[in-house]
Each structure stands twice: as structure tokens, then as C-alpha cells.
Amino acid sequence: MEAVRSQRKSSVSNGVVSTLPLYRSAPALEVRLEDFELYAMDRLRVLKGISDGLSRGKKPDEMEKLVLDLWKTNMRHQHSSEVVNKDIISHFVLRLVYCRTEELRKWFLSMETTLFRHRFRDEAPEIQRALMAEFDLPYKAVSNAEYESVKDKLNQVARTIGQPTTTDAIFYKVPFEVVPELVAGRRVFIQKGNAYIAMNQVVSLVITQFRSHLSKALVLTNRKWTSMIREQEKDRLAPIIEVLSTSYLGPDYSQPREHAEISLKDIDQIAKSSFPLCMRHLFEKLREDHHLKHGGRMQLGLFLKGVGLKLDDALAFWRAEFSRKVGAERFDKEYAYGIRHNYGKEGKRTDYTPYSCQKIISSAPGVGDHHGCPYRHFSEENLRAALTRMGVGNRALEDVIDRVRNRHYQLACTLTFEAVHSSSCDAGVNHPNQYYNESQRIFESQNISSNPQGTAASM
């Protein structure tokens, strides 16, 4: 890959160079197609981790640690000289990915702004001042004479918000409307329409500019994507761009965890104890109607494969249900092939992977379908009833419904898991098979059987 040097030479102070780009313009460089996608996925892990942290209501200091840990874990490069390149490339790739709809733009803008905020706060003061200069902000530090005239008021505000008072602090005077979050939190002294902000608060000023620039850039990128890029790259980049926003970034669960295997005699009890709501609903509908449409068969069938249902048992399971509705002969002619195909025994012999939460949430079930994500596709009344049957108590139920109203479907599933199992799930639920595995681990660690024979899964 062609190297790109830091886009900034001005961020140097006392020999210290910042590695925080401002993403003003895309770098002119060639990127290998595999790096194009891999870099974007690494950054996406960071942004989705931030989203999960915000959704779970983490405190500011917890978010600070989370963001920096996510960055260090996911944005490394085997060649240290390429770290900044990876940062810049991944940002502009995801800008293409998330420019395409208003909903995507809103999410990306929020997550990138949060990421930039915490990275900026982690920089040394001299680097922060250099970055401010690069934004070309028309604000200068308050003179000594003016500082003396308002010093008492500034110290009073500092004491109120629990900040130390110093005699050598640097303050900037800016129109109060450019720092709305500081004004709303009563964290600044305001006089004659101007807010006096301390150097340790200047991140709010910078973030306002960063967010404004990125918001405009996303709209312009969308116009270029729609009018030119999508057609020009329809056979090369467009397929990657169009799937990245719904990419699942964890294990594929195509194989059950080691030594895990479920038997047909235990499957009903295990479904009740350890299936996530989406799979439990499909399982119950199959038992009730003795049939599922294609989307439901794929979603449930691949899940069962991933939790350890062997092919012969899968065929027996589906045949027992479908034969009651369509007859054994029709099942063997029309449905058995699809089951063997999912297990890689027919057609291209691909070892198909169970569906992730992201794929399930983005599906669009029609009339008579039962697949998809209940947290997204159920009415509130039906969702409440289903969660109550799972044993979710009233207080937890309201928390789940609140997350659903705010469209945090995976977090709603995570809260359901925690309520049902009386155990935390800090990583969050990202895959139905992950939900199942974590459930089984809890039962195993507590030596509690999830079936009458005491073998919830072969251990």
C-alpha cells in the first residue's frame, strides 16, 4: 500500500506530534481491497462498542476508558508507521458506508463525534492548542487584564462544578451559542453574551466544529455516492460498501462450542431455558403450526445447527413436525434437501453460518412469517406478553421496552438475558448462538440442569 504521511504538520509543539487527524479531505493513496474492508471493520468495532456503551448508560469516566481501550485494541497495525494511515482510511471508508441514508448518517456522526471527543481529551494541552489552531477558530485566549476582571466569577464557577482553581489557567471567550452543552450544564461563566471556557473545556468548542464539518461532509459524500461512485464501483467497491453497515463482527458460530451437542429428547426444555426470544418464538410456532416459511426455517435451522443439533437429528426433528402438516413424502421431496444444504451436504457444500443479530434485525418478515427480531417486529403488546412468558419481571420489562422504543434492539435482548439469568452480560448480545452459549455456561457453572436428565448440553 502506498504510504501517506500525516495530513498535518502544524500539530507539533515542543517536539510532540499528534496522531489525531481532522479528516478534512480524503488522502490521495492506493489501498488494497482487503485493507479497504479490514480497516473499516476494525473501526466499526470501535464505533459499535461506543454505541453499546452509550446505550447501556455508562458514566463519562467509564466511557473515557472504554473508548480508549477499544481504540488501542482494534486500531493497531503491525507496522507502527501505518497506524495513522489506517485511522484515516477507515474513517473515509465508513464515511462512504454511512452517508447513504439519514439514519446511517445520524448514527455515524454521533459515534465519530464521541470517538473524536475522547481522543482529543487524551491529547496533551499543547497538542490540543495546536489542533484548535488547525480548525481556524476565530477565538483568542483572554488577556491577563480581562482575566483579572472576571477571575472571581471564574473561580466561583470552577468551585461549583468541582474543578480546581488555578492562577495560570488559559481561558477563551466565545459566543455562548457555540458551546450549548456547557451552557446547559451551567459549567461556564457568561457575560454580555460571551462564555468564558477553560482550556480543559475547550473540547466542547472543538467538537462543535468537528461535528458541523462532518455533518456537511456526509451530505456531500452522499451526493457523490448517488450521482457517481455507486455506478462506477458497482462491481468492485459498491458490494462491500452496501453490506458493511450491517456486518456482524464476531464469531460465526458455524460449529457448536467444544463438546456441545443437543439431543432431540432435551430440545424442548433447552429451548425454554436457553433460546433467545427470536429462536424461542420460531420454535414455539413450529411446534404449534407444524410448519415455517423459508425465512423461519433458515433462521431457526442454522441456529440449531450452531448449538449442536446433528444433521440426522435435524432431519428427524423437522420431518416429525412437517409430516403432520404436509406428510412425510412431501417433506422428503421438498424440504429435506434444504436442511442437508444448510449442513453443507448438498449443492456447493458450503458450511452455512447461523444468522447474527444484525442480519435478523435487518430482515423484513411478511404476512405469515415468524422470523426476524421480535424486539423490532413485534407490537408492544405482543412483546410484553412474550417477555412475561420468559419470566422477565415488571421492572426489567419496562427497561427492555424503553430500549425497544429507542430502537436499541440488541441491548433490549441483553437486558432480557440478564433478567432471565440473574447474571450480567457485559459484552452485550450480538448473536443468538452467543446468547445460547452464555446461557448454557451459566447453568453449567451453577451446576443447574436445564433438562430433566441433568445434561443441558453434552459436556
Side-chain angles (χ1 to χ4, degrees):
M1 181 172 63
E2 181 181 318
V4 57
R5 297 297 155 223
S6 172
Q7 292 184 324
R8 208 172 46 250
K9 293 183 180 179
S10 58
S11 296
V12 180
S13 181
N14 296 327
V16 181
V17 181
S18 171
T19 58
L20 178 57
L22 302 185
Y23 313 109
R24 290 296 182 86
S25 59
L29 74 160
E30 294 181 359
V31 184
R32 291 180 302 180
L33 201 58
E34 55 266 36
D35 288 338
F36 182 91
E37 185 172 8
L38 289 174
Y39 288 2
M41 292 181 71
D42 281 347
R43 192 182 195 92
L44 198 50
R45 289 185 176 92
V46 176
L47 299 186
K48 288 191 173 182
I50 292 172
S51 178
D52 183 65
L54 292 172
S55 299
R56 294 177 72 86
K58 287 187 178 291
K59 298 176 181 178
D61 57 334
E62 294 175 324
M63 282 302 302
E64 188 89 22
K65 183 178 186 304
L66 173 66
V67 171
L68 297 179
D69 286 348
L70 284 167
W71 187 262
K72 291 175 183 176
T73 300
N74 294 288
M75 294 302 290
R76 294 174 296 182
H77 195 283
Q78 59 181 342
H79 303 299
S80 58
S81 61
E82 291 295 327
V83 171
V84 175
N85 289 350
K86 179 177 180 179
D87 180 3
I88 297 170
I89 292 165
S90 62
H91 171 87
F92 281 97
V93 174
L94 290 186
R95 193 183 283 190
L96 269 178
V97 173
Y98 283 89
C99 76
R100 296 172 298 124
T101 69
E102 183 177 355
E103 184 177 359
L104 291 176
R105 288 193 295 271
K106 183 178 178 181
W107 184 87
F108 181 71
L109 180 62
S110 178
M111 296 308 108
E112 280 285 339
T113 300
T114 302
L115 173 60
F116 189 87
R117 174 194 300 276
H118 290 291
R119 292 183 67 196
F120 181 89
R121 286 170 60 92
D122 193 49
E123 295 282 9
E126 59 269 25
I127 293 298
Q128 292 181 351
R129 287 194 290 271
L131 288 167
M132 281 186 65
E134 289 194 52
F135 273 108
D136 297 324
L137 300 177
Y139 313 120
K140 294 182 179 180
V142 173
S143 66
N144 290 335
E146 186 172 2
Y147 172 75
E148 288 297 326
S149 69
V150 296
K151 180 174 64 175
D152 291 342
K153 296 291 186 181
L154 296 177
N155 287 337
Q156 183 179 341
V157 172
R159 286 192 296 270
T160 301
I161 64 177
Q163 294 290 330
T165 59
T166 60
T167 57
D168 59 349
I170 297 175
F171 281 84
Y172 291 85
K173 185 171 69 173
V174 303
F176 75 90
E177 62 267 20
V178 303
V179 284
E181 61 179 29
L182 295 179
V183 174
R186 298 186 177 183
R187 300 176 64 84
V188 289
F189 169 61
I190 299 177
Q191 180 174 270
K192 296 181 180 179
N194 291 311
Y196 290 77
I197 63 173
M199 188 63 211
N200 60 8
Q201 297 173 314
V202 81
V203 62
S204 295
L205 189 60
V206 172
I207 285 301
T208 299
Q209 298 298 316
F210 177 84
R211 186 182 184 91
S212 175
H213 168 76
L214 181 56
S215 179
K216 294 173 184 176
L218 284 167
V219 173
L220 293 174
T221 304
N222 174 251
R223 292 175 185 169
K224 290 181 180 178
W225 169 260
T226 304
S227 64
M228 182 175 60
I229 301 174
R230 181 171 56 190
E231 179 61 26
Q232 290 179 347
E233 297 288 346
K234 63 180 180 180
D235 298 322
R236 193 171 67 107
L237 296 184
I240 298 174
I241 293 297
E242 290 169 353
V243 301
L244 268 172
S245 63
T246 57
S247 293
Y248 167 66
L249 305 173
D252 64 18
Y253 296 102
S254 59
Q255 298 298 325
R257 62 196 181 99
E258 189 176 5
H259 307 308
E261 185 177 325
I262 61 174
S263 63
L264 291 180
K265 69 180 187 303
D266 300 329
I267 195 169
D268 285 273
Q269 183 61 35
I270 293 175
K272 186 176 181 180
S273 67
S274 294
F275 281 17
L277 180 55
C278 57
M279 300 305 171
R280 179 168 170 158
H281 173 65
L282 283 168
F283 186 87
E284 290 174 348
K285 281 299 178 182
L286 177 61
R287 289 298 202 205
E288 179 183 327
D289 299 338
H290 312 297
H291 191 271
L292 286 175
K293 290 187 175 182
H294 177 74
R297 296 197 302 274
M298 291 294 291
Q299 184 173 310
L300 179 60
L302 290 173
F303 169 80
L304 292 175
K305 172 193 170 191
V307 302
L309 190 65
K310 300 300 182 184
L311 175 57
D312 289 344
D313 285 342
L315 286 166
F317 169 74
W318 291 98
R319 182 182 289 109
E321 292 300 327
F322 272 53
S323 62
R324 298 173 65 177
K325 185 90 172 225
V326 303
E329 183 177 352
R330 183 180 170 190
F331 172 83
D332 289 336
K333 287 182 178 179
E334 297 183 17
Y335 299 101
Y337 176 90
I339 296 168
R340 292 194 299 270
H341 191 269
N342 284 349
Y343 279 77
K345 303 302 181 183
E346 299 286 358
K348 296 181 180 179
R349 301 189 181 276
T350 301
D351 190 16
Y352 289 94
T353 61
Y355 291 173
S356 68
C357 290
Q358 201 70 44
K359 184 176 179 67
I360 292 170
I361 290 170
S362 63
S363 64
V367 177
D369 285 326
H370 298 293
H371 64 282
C373 175
Y375 300 97
R376 179 181 180 186
H377 300 122
F378 275 20
S379 67
E380 184 172 316
E381 180 182 3
N382 288 343
L383 181 59
R384 285 180 178 273
L387 292 170
T388 300
R389 289 195 298 272
M390 287 185 74
V392 179
N394 290 337
R395 185 171 181 176
L397 179 59
E398 294 307 318
D399 287 341
V400 172
I401 296 299
D402 181 64
R403 298 307 190 279
V404 170
R405 288 170 178 163
N406 287 292
R407 297 189 292 184
H408 298 309
Y409 307 118
Q410 288 173 237
L411 181 55
C413 188
T414 301
L415 294 179
T416 300
F417 178 96
E418 294 177 341
V420 169
H421 295 85
S422 299
S423 178
S424 63
C425 182
D426 293 337
V429 174
N430 297 293
H431 200 292
N433 292 76
Q434 172 208 359
Y435 183 110
Y436 172 84
N437 286 350
E438 292 301 320
S439 173
Q440 288 289 285
R441 285 193 182 98
I442 289 173
F443 286 125
E444 291 167 8
S445 66
Q446 297 174 345
N447 290 320
I448 297 177
S449 171
S450 63
N451 67 60
Q453 287 73 33
T455 54
S458 297
M459 294 176 257

